[in-house]
Amino acid sequence: MTAQAAALSVPDRPASTWTGWGQWLALATMTIDHLTRYVLPASWELDWAGSSIGRIAFPLFAAMVAWHGLFNTRNPLRYARRILIIGLVAQLPYMLMPRASDAFVLNVCFTLALGLAWGAWLRDLFARQRAGNLGVAWVGLGVTTTLAVWYLLGYWVEYGHRGLLLIPLFMLAMYHLHAAGDGLAERLGAVCMAVPLLVVAGLMNSSDMAKSFTVATCLTALWLAAGAHRLAPAVPSVMPRRLWLAWYPGHFMLIALWLWASGGLG
């Protein structure tokens, strides 16, 4: 992204202390989801945990990635590449998980990385257009091209087409909610920018319980962007960086080892 585009597209940076809490919650809810899905016996009847607590993880990860991509990094594409590397490491153990379908699917890190790259690229595109560096025709061509890529990639990644939309829509909503002034018109306009995100979040799951937890997580992230981030205290124990980077591939490796030892992969 050019310095001029960045200056046009990024508002003043808000406090990010809430993401320290978000990291612990995201890893905990993701692990609960995967344990109930792949490890714990069906006779324990814990499917409700995956359909409730487990539905917090993905929108929370998406919200944190969008937040950092929008407010905290000078190079969102480099950030996306780091997420992609984690996804590459995790892909093999991820593929060993028991699934209802044999279709090849890329894990959620690919969804997050591609969503961030798309959101950052669109932000840069529109910032350059506002600065007069791009004509409307070029912007239209760029948007059309990215929509075609989104349509193709949506069949290959976890959470599909709706999952790929989540980070760009988070970035759009967070930007306007944070940048909105005190005027009623600005506030209403910012709320309108959040509606597409909530619609997509509501369409992401099949059960009403899962939809409720996904939408509630998105609403909480939007509330933080609208100003509640100032209320979040610092997390008492900061997550070690190595744990944050290694947990996703590492816990899949441990689950795969457990399944192999118990005969679940045979």
Side-chain angles (χ1 to χ4, degrees), residues 7 10 14 46 54 59 85 100 117 122 126 140 142 173 196 199 222 263 265:
V10 180
L46 290 174
I85 290 171
L122 287 173
F126 286 112
V199 171
L222 296 177
L265 294 179

Side-chain angles (χ1 to χ4, degrees), residues 102-145:
D102 293 331
F104 177 78
V105 176
L106 295 167
N107 65 69
V108 73
C109 287
F110 289 85
T111 313
L112 296 173
L114 292 169
L116 174 59
W118 187 21
W121 189 84
L122 287 173
R123 186 183 67 179
D124 182 42
L125 184 72
F126 286 112
R128 291 169 63 190
Q129 191 271 331
R130 289 197 301 270
N133 297 329
L134 281 180
V136 175
W138 282 107
V139 173
L141 178 61
V143 172
T144 302
T145 302

Side-chain angles (χ1 to χ4, degrees), residues 32-54:
I32 289 171
D33 181 28
H34 293 165
L35 287 176
T36 56
R37 192 185 311 178
Y38 303 126
V39 176
L40 300 180
S43 59
W44 289 18
E45 298 182 352
L46 290 174
D47 291 348
W48 62 268
S51 297
S52 55
I53 299 171

Side-chain angles (χ1 to χ4, degrees), residues 100 163 178 187 199:
H178 177 64
R187 288 291 179 180
V199 171

Side-chain angles (χ1 to χ4, degrees), residues 118 140-156 161 164:
W118 187 21
L141 178 61
V143 172
T144 302
T145 302
T146 59
L147 287 175
V149 174
W150 162 77
Y151 180 77
L152 293 173
L153 290 176
Y155 292 106
W156 296 94
H161 294 93
L164 287 173

